[in-house]
């Protein structure tokens, strides 16, 4: 669908500036419908934007069509559960919610530890639809929130492009961002995560701020403060905004572009934005206490100094006197600022950069100090293939766009250049942040495309103009001779321009094909349902996760506590409706380390830990029968590392043989007898998984397991799903004392 | 020798600033007075906080930030209304005041919510 409509759009974009008369005469046979050029242009723009809006929405619907309308992955299940709670109980209950169903026995203050933007947005859409008497289920609203906001992002991208460059760049930016895989990856239908609305809020904030800087109007600055508030309510990545905007202001100050408009825009946005942001409980007082936000405050004070100096200079009209004044003020301001910062940091009042953001500046920090952050696959550094996969032609259009931006430096282009460069640096540090860089890359590439196409088509048009004026105006011999020489080289230039335009058209159509293919193949799988090809090419669906969670929901007592690795916590609480010990929020490292320790100990020690946590059921994920490689045995070393980080009795070398992780006969004895091994491979030794292989052949690791004769003393098997992916065990109560 | 020149410079500075400031229009002087009042109130609040401690912190923050906020917004209004600023030549003072009013409204609504 994307491939077919894209070529017509690029074609129409390329030709709309060349032949308006042609359009008029051949496509509008009715003389009464003769529109002026400006009206035709407006009609074209609106129709293009409308098509882009629809395209952005439908390109994200692959998984809904192939599987069903369900929530994907892990984190979205928590968001879904909280949205459900919000719509059922109302806003006050939601804001003050203390949840005792997760992190047993600690509980979690959900109201104070989440970013409510996404849930409130979905709930508002749901209530609006209900008000209009469309009685949809909240799950449908949640599933389709992300594509809806992706469409809105394309509109904002259009206006932003218009602000930075011109309407052509805006249109190209809207098209590019509608199908860019870097954005689609986190905003498919079903991916009900914070980034779905956060990217919209990010781009909106930036657009409104640049508009405020360009116009100097307080109203636009107020708008950008509201955009910033929406961003803070939606995602923890708002720290990027509160550091990029002051950095941009600083760069403008350094390059001598200080102006009253900048003062108005930044000050209004900072004060109002900061106040609004502090209304979110999770953010709290961080804007005045955290080291990550001090840059904004520093630039705020610097702006006051600049304004004051500017005013004094204007009043004095005498340079010598002003110089002395300048010296005194600047030195005293720097002294005061430095002392305040030093005292604040040294006394600990200003907290240092948190681990999550510090690891962006120093990528090796997390691996050594915080294994939980290092273990998340999205936090790994980006490979070149990921860049190519997610950006395609935008990768080389980006430097071209940078060139155009530097040719025409305004306040707005400086902003987009800074946004592009900083976000690309962070995208190189962490895969997940490719998403943040996508709007900048799309905008700058759009500038390159639009400027190039504009130059080429103007080359095409000059020949007609020159020949017309050459025939009508005979005056001026020098003018005539220059026109004649221009005329002689024209045919060559015109052919070249047509060839280049065809090249641009080809590139953009390849981009569209690539994006559609990537969306279809890579980014449309709900990780909770797995699919594979059978022997005859038919599609086999593995729905084991949901099978296990519904078994839990229907066959366990309502106050049962489930112990599993933290990946599955959100899904168990949302679908199984049972209390879990640890979940994806990972706010308490010691609690997770306790679970990790239990999984890596022998059964007796693990039983003591499980009794102390009141565990009734243990859930493990096992991929040996299906060849599913994201199972708990493959994650086991992370459990050991995290557990060993808090409890030194767990030593990683105990589980390795010559530094190698093995599960076959040559594995270490601790590995062969730990709880995770026993729970995963219980009764597996009798099972033949593949034709021609011995029983107990683990298809995910590709080896025959070492310990086939497993006896469980304190646990008994409660349920194993049809493809052995999820296995649930019941913890037996202690035997009676004799 | 250096001391007397710097003190003389300071005196010259002071006098020329004073004479230049007396020439500004009255409406701008009123706005300046308002800004000084807001900053002065903020300083009083900070002094009070240093005496009695900063609990509850949200009330302290909302008080100080409301003073700073109104001061900053008043300065923005002054910039937009000042006839000598060429960038804002074609901005009607009514529009500037309406923007100022709207921003102050939002500011004070948030402050009231934040006071606790």
């Amino acid at each position: 669908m994307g491939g077919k409509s894209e070529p017509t759009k690029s074609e129409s974009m390329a030709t709309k500036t060349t032949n308006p008369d042609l359009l008029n005469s051949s496509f509008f046979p009715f003389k009464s419908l003769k529109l002026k050029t400006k009206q035709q242009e407006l009609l074209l723009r609106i129709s293009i934007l409308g098509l882009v809006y629809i395209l952005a929405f439908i390109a994200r619907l692959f998984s809904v069509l192939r599987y069903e309308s369900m929530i994907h992955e892990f984190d979205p299940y928590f968001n879904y559960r909280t949205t459900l709670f919000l719509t059922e109980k109302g806003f006050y209950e939601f804001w003050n919610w203390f949840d005792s169903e997760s992190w047993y026995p600690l509980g979690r203050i959900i109201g104070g530890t989440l970013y409510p933007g996404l849930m409130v947005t979905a709930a508002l859409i749901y209530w609006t639809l209900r008000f209009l008497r469309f009685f949809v289920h909240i799950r449908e609203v949640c599933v389709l929130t992300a594509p809806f906001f992706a469409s809105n992002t394309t509109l904002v991208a259009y206006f932003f492009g218009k602000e930075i460059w011109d309407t052509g760049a805006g249109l190209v930016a809207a098209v590019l961002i509608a199908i860019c895989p870097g954005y689609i990856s986190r905003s498919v239908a079903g991916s009900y995560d914070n980034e779905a609305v956060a990217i919209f809020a990010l781009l909106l904030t930036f657009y409104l701020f640049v508009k405020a800087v360009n116009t100097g109007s307080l109203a636009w600055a107020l708008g950008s403060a509201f955009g910033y508030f929406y961003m803070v309510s939606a995602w923890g990545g708002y720290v990027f905004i509160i550091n990029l905007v002051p950095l941009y202001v600083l760069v403008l100050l350094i390059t001598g572009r200080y102006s009253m408009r900048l003062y108005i825009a930044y000050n209004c946005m900072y004060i109002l934005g900061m106040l609004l942001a502090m209304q979110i409980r999770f953010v709290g007082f961080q804007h005045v206490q955290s080291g990550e936000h001090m840059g904004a405050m520093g630039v705020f004070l610097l702006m006051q100094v600049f304004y004051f100096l500017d005013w004094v200079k204007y009043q004095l009209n005498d340079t010598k006197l002003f110089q002395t004044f300048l010296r005194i003020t600047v030195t005293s301001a720097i002294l005061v600022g430095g002392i305040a910062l030093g005292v604040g940091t040294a006394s600990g009042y200003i907290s240092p950069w948190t681990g999550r953001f510090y690891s962006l500046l120093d990528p090796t920090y997390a691996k050594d100090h915080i294994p939980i952050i290092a273990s998340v696959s999205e936090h790994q550094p980006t490979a070149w293939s990921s860049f190519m996969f997610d950006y395609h032609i935008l990768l080389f259009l980006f430097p071209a766009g940078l060139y155009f931006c530097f040719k025409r430096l305004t306040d707005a282009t400086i902003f987009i250049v800074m946004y592009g460069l900083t976000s690309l640096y962070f995208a190189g540090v962490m895969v997940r942040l490719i998403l943040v860089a996508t709007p900048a890359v799309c905008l700058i590439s759009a500038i390159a495309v639009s400027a190039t196409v504009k130059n080429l088509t103007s080359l095409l048009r000059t020949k007609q103009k020159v020949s017309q004026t050459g025939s009508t105006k005979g005056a001026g011999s020098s003018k005539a001779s220059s026109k004649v020489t221009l005329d002689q080289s024209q045919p060559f230039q015109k052919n070249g321009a047509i060839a280049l335009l065809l090249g641009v058209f080809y590139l953009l159509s390849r981009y569209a094909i690539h994006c559609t293919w990537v969306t279809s193949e890579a980014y449309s799988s709900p990780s909770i349902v797995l699919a594979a090809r059978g022997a005859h090419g038919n599609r086999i669906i593995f729905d084991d996760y949901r099978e296990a969670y519904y078994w839990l929901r229907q066959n366990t007592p309502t106050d049962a506590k489930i112990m599993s690795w933290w990946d599955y916590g959100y899904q168990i609480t949302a679908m199984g409706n049972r209390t879990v010990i640890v979940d994806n929020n990972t706010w308490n490292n010691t609690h997770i380390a306790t679970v990790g320790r239990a999984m890596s100990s022998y059964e007796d020690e693990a039983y003591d830990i499980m009794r102390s946590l009141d565990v009734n059921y243990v859930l493990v994920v096992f991929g040996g029968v299906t060849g599913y490689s994201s199972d708990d045995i493959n994650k086991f070393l992370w459990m050991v590392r995290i557990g060993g980080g808090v409890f030194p009795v767990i030593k990683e070398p105990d589980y390795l043989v010559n530094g190698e992780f093995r599960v076959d006969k040559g594995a270490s004895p601790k590995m062969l007898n730990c709880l995770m091994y026993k729970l995963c491979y219980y009764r597996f030794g009798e099972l033949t998984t593949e034709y021609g292989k011995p029983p107990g052949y683990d298809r995910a690791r590709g080896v025959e397991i070492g310990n086939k004769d497993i006896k469980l003393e304190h646990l008994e098997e409660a349920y194993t799903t049809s493809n052995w992916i999820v296995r649930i065990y019941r913890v037996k109560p202690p035997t009676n004392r004799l | 020798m250096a001391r007397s020149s710097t003190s003389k410079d300071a005196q010259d500075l002071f006098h020329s600033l004073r004479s230049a400031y007396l020439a500004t229009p009255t409406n701008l002087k009123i706005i300046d007075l308002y800004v000084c009042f807001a900053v002065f109130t903020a300083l009083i609040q900070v002094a009070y906080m240093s005496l009695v401690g900063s609990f509850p912190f949200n009330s302290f923050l909302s008080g100080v930030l409301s003073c700073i906020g109104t001061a900053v917004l008043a300065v923005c209004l002054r910039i937009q209304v000042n006839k000598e600023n060429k960038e804002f030549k074609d901005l009607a003072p009514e529009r500037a005041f309406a923007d100022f009013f709207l921003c102050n409204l939002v500011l004070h609504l948030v402050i009231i919510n934040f006071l606790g």
Side-chain angles (χ1 to χ4, degrees):
Chain A
M1 353 172 213
K4 260 195 261 176
S5 53
E6 175 57 27
T8 45
K9 273 199 288 297
S10 341
E11 176 85 65
S12 62
M13 253 194 299
T15 54
K16 75 170 164 74
T17 44
T18 51
N19 306 323
D21 298 310
L22 193 67
L23 202 66
N24 201 15
S25 55
S26 58
F27 284 89
F28 289 95
F30 310 107
K31 286 293 175 190
S32 54
L33 268 173
K34 207 180 183 102
L35 298 167
K36 292 199 283 281
T37 315
K38 268 224 170 306
Q39 288 173 327
Q40 284 173 5
E41 203 215 337
L42 187 66
L43 180 66
L44 260 174
R45 260 193 285 151
I46 292 180
S47 53
I48 289 176
L49 277 178
L51 283 173
V52 168
Y53 195 87
I54 297 173
L55 172 69
F57 191 84
I58 59 180
R60 288 161 165 85
L61 294 181
F62 275 103
S63 66
V64 173
L65 293 171
R66 285 183 185 160
Y67 301 94
E68 59 179 273
S69 157
M70 69 175 129
I71 314 267
H72 299 184
E73 302 257 324
F74 302 108
D75 281 354
Y77 274 98
F78 171 71
N79 298 330
Y80 173 61
R81 180 169 161 248
T82 47
T83 316
L84 202 56
F85 189 86
L86 172 61
T87 52
E88 281 169 6
K89 302 269 192 346
F91 188 70
Y92 279 112
E93 288 295 317
F94 169 76
W95 199 239
N96 296 309
W97 186 15
F98 179 82
D99 180 33
S100 41
E101 273 192 37
S102 55
W103 295 91
Y104 185 86
L106 306 166
R108 179 185 168 186
I109 312 171
I110 290 195
T113 56
L114 57 47
Y115 287 106
L118 176 70
M119 298 89 185
V120 171
T121 310
L124 280 176
I125 297 176
Y126 173 73
W127 284 325
T128 316
L129 286 174
R130 283 190 88 89
F131 178 74
L132 296 172
R133 300 295 180 258
F134 287 110
F135 289 108
V136 292
H137 193 269
I138 182 69
R139 189 190 58 241
E140 316 298 341
V141 175
C142 291
V143 164
L144 294 175
T145 299
F148 173 60
F149 272 90
S151 303
N152 296 339
T153 309
T154 61
L155 287 183
V156 178
Y158 163 69
F159 285 111
F160 202 2
K162 197 164 97 146
E163 190 65 28
I164 296 175
W165 200 257
D166 62 11
T167 54
L171 284 171
V172 180
V175 173
L176 289 180
I177 205 171
I179 49 176
C180 188
Y183 186 26
I184 287 192
S185 62
R186 303 290 300 201
S187 66
V188 282
S191 173
Y192 183 56
D193 209 351
N194 297 58
E195 289 94 344
V197 298
I199 297 297
F200 168 73
L202 181 87
L203 209 54
L204 187 69
T205 311
F206 284 151
Y207 163 61
L208 291 172
F209 182 68
V210 170
K211 188 95 188 176
V213 171
N214 273 344
T215 56
S217 147
L218 262 178
W220 286 110
L222 179 67
S224 78
F226 273 119
Y228 178 62
F229 171 56
Y230 189 35
M231 179 72 188
V232 171
S233 72
W235 197 31
Y238 74 89
V239 176
F240 182 62
I241 299 188
I242 201 66
N243 281 311
L244 179 64
V245 167
L247 194 65
Y248 165 65
V249 170
L250 203 61
V251 165
L252 283 186
L253 291 179
I254 292 175
T255 54
R257 286 174 174 268
Y258 169 78
S259 64
M260 299 295 192
R261 299 170 283 119
L262 181 67
Y263 179 86
I264 293 176
Y266 181 66
N267 279 312
C268 180
M269 186 211 172
Y270 178 63
I271 293 288
L272 286 173
M274 175 164 77
L275 266 173
L276 284 167
M278 290 202 273
Q279 308 310 305
I280 308 288
R281 283 172 66 189
F282 195 26
V283 172
F285 302 128
Q286 277 182 7
H287 276 74
V288 291
Q289 287 178 338
S290 156
E292 295 149 8
H293 303 77
M294 286 300 117
M297 191 182 284
V299 172
F300 173 69
L301 294 170
L302 191 65
M303 285 291 277
Q304 310 309 316
V305 171
F306 256 80
Y307 175 73
F308 184 56
L309 288 175
D310 206 38
W311 180 70
V312 167
K313 181 171 170 183
Y314 179 72
Q315 298 278 40
L316 280 182
N317 281 332
D318 178 357
T319 41
K320 207 172 72 77
L321 217 51
F322 177 64
Q323 292 295 339
T324 23
F325 182 73
L326 180 69
R327 261 185 299 132
I328 302 170
T329 321
V330 168
T331 41
S332 54
I334 292 178
L335 263 175
V336 167
I339 290 174
L341 189 68
V343 165
T345 321
S347 67
Y349 186 73
I350 297 179
S351 56
W353 282 56
T354 57
R356 252 179 56 180
F357 296 110
Y358 190 72
S359 61
L360 288 178
L361 297 178
D362 176 15
T364 58
Y365 179 75
K367 188 84 203 276
D368 299 328
H369 299 263
I370 319 173
I372 276 200
I373 295 181
S375 72
V376 182
S377 65
E378 300 172 314
H379 292 181
Q380 305 310 316
T382 324
W384 265 112
S385 52
S386 295
F387 273 116
M388 190 61 194
F389 199 63
D390 281 341
Y391 288 141
H392 203 239
I393 60 166
L394 303 184
L395 264 188
F396 65 81
L397 284 178
F398 181 76
L402 281 181
Y403 163 72
F404 280 108
C405 284
F406 275 108
K407 255 180 60 169
R408 198 214 283 190
L409 269 183
T410 62
D411 291 345
T413 49
I414 292 182
F415 179 80
I416 197 67
V417 163
M418 286 197 60
Y419 175 26
L421 292 175
T422 49
S423 58
L424 261 192
Y425 165 72
F426 288 121
V429 175
M430 203 188 259
V431 166
R432 189 179 181 187
L433 295 179
I434 282 192
L435 173 72
V436 177
T438 303
V441 170
C442 286
L443 277 164
I444 295 184
S445 314
I447 291 177
V449 171
S450 174
T452 313
V453 168
K454 210 164 199 167
N455 287 340
L456 291 173
T457 51
S458 68
L459 270 179
L460 283 178
R461 295 182 80 185
T462 47
K463 182 179 195 253
Q464 297 174 359
K465 256 200 207 149
V466 165
S467 55
Q468 281 173 4
T469 49
S471 58
T472 51
K473 268 198 240 174
S477 55
S478 55
K479 266 198 184 168
S481 57
S482 62
K483 277 197 186 108
V484 164
T485 49
L486 211 61
D487 218 358
Q488 279 172 352
S489 54
Q490 273 313 309
F492 179 67
Q493 272 188 344
K494 191 183 171 198
N495 288 338
I498 291 183
L500 282 176
L501 273 178
L502 281 176
V504 169
F505 164 64
Y506 173 70
L507 270 181
L508 290 173
S509 55
R510 290 302 312 183
Y511 172 71
I513 294 172
H514 170 86
C515 292
T516 323
W517 176 81
V518 163
T519 312
S520 161
E521 287 299 317
Y523 289 139
S524 297
S525 76
S527 315
I528 195 164
V529 167
L530 312 161
R533 292 269 161 213
H536 306 283
N538 56 325
R539 203 172 63 146
I540 306 179
I541 303 276
F542 297 119
D543 208 0
D544 287 44
Y545 281 103
R546 295 197 291 176
E547 185 188 337
Y549 300 140
Y550 277 103
W551 184 89
L552 274 180
R553 194 189 188 107
Q554 289 162 353
N555 293 293
T556 57
T558 39
D559 60 350
K561 328 266 183 298
I562 320 285
M563 181 172 94
S564 70
W565 192 234
W566 59 261
D567 287 1
Y568 317 107
Y570 281 156
Q571 288 179 343
I572 296 177
T573 19
M575 278 188 275
N577 203 24
R578 294 287 177 268
T579 311
V580 289
I581 306 290
V582 288
D583 68 17
N584 307 56
N585 189 33
T586 64
W587 66 270
N588 190 333
N589 195 33
T590 313
H591 217 52
I592 296 181
T594 314
V595 171
R597 180 186 175 186
M599 295 295 196
S600 6
S601 315
Y602 293 125
E603 197 183 342
D604 295 323
E605 302 159 18
Y607 184 65
D608 289 333
I609 299 177
M610 289 194 285
R611 289 292 305 156
S612 76
L613 289 173
D614 285 348
V615 176
N616 302 113
Y617 289 86
V618 182
L619 184 146
V620 293
V621 169
F622 172 58
V625 173
T626 49
Y628 177 54
S629 56
S630 304
D631 64 350
D632 280 355
I633 294 283
N634 278 346
K635 292 179 195 169
F636 182 64
L637 274 183
W638 284 111
M639 299 186 200
V640 169
R641 282 180 197 137
I642 295 175
V646 178
F647 302 104
V649 292
I650 308 286
K651 294 188 255 301
E652 193 181 337
D654 287 346
Y655 301 87
L656 304 171
V657 172
N658 292 334
E660 205 187 310
F661 180 64
R662 295 170 68 168
V663 292
D664 54 0
K665 274 210 167 18
S668 64
K670 185 104 198 236
M671 179 71 210
L672 288 176
N673 288 300
C674 70
L675 184 71
M676 177 56 73
Y677 189 94
K678 282 184 160 182
L679 293 182
C680 284
Y681 292 120
Y682 183 67
R683 287 195 307 115
F684 185 64
E686 309 141 17
L687 191 71
T688 313
T689 53
E690 227 177 272
Y691 180 69
K693 293 278 193 306
Y697 181 73
D698 183 346
R699 290 176 75 187
R701 259 66 52 182
V703 294
E704 185 187 345
I705 61 169
N707 185 2
K708 291 189 192 176
D709 187 26
I710 297 177
K711 300 261 182 304
L712 289 174
E713 192 190 328
H714 299 287
L715 297 113
E716 57 183 3
E717 189 180 359
Y719 188 68
T720 301
T721 55
S722 43
N723 295 301
W724 286 55
I725 293 188
V726 184
R727 310 195 67 182
I728 305 177
Y729 293 83
R730 186 179 302 117
V731 177
K732 290 199 278 205
T735 52
N736 291 327
R737 277 175 233 158
L738 294 169
Chain B
M1 180 67 189
R3 253 230 229 121
S4 63
S5 76
T6 46
S7 69
K8 191 171 166 303
D9 277 340
Q11 275 190 342
D12 284 339
L13 199 73
F14 184 63
H15 283 308
S16 41
L17 270 178
R18 186 152 186 222
S19 55
Y21 187 65
L22 286 173
T24 55
T26 321
N27 56 349
L28 293 183
K29 280 201 211 153
I30 294 177
I31 298 179
D32 289 340
L33 194 63
Y34 179 64
V35 171
C36 292
F37 163 70
V39 173
F40 183 60
T41 316
L43 289 173
I44 292 182
Q45 288 185 357
V46 172
Y48 180 67
M49 184 274 285
S50 59
L51 282 176
V52 299
S54 69
F55 182 80
F57 195 55
N58 55 322
S59 310
F60 165 67
L61 262 186
S62 66
V64 170
L65 282 177
S66 78
C67 294
I68 307 267
T70 50
V72 161
L73 287 174
V75 171
C76 292
L77 175 68
R78 186 189 198 274
I79 291 173
Q80 287 185 331
V81 159
N82 196 353
K83 292 200 181 30
E84 283 146 15
N85 281 334
K86 287 178 268 318
E87 280 174 346
F88 294 100
K89 216 164 17 116
D90 44 0
L91 183 71
E94 289 84 10
R95 166 76 198 272
F97 187 73
D99 284 344
F100 169 73
F101 174 72
L102 181 67
C103 290
N104 264 315
L105 186 68
V106 170
L107 176 77
H108 287 99
L109 280 174
V110 179
I111 294 292
I112 291 172
N113 184 38
F114 198 38
L115 266 176

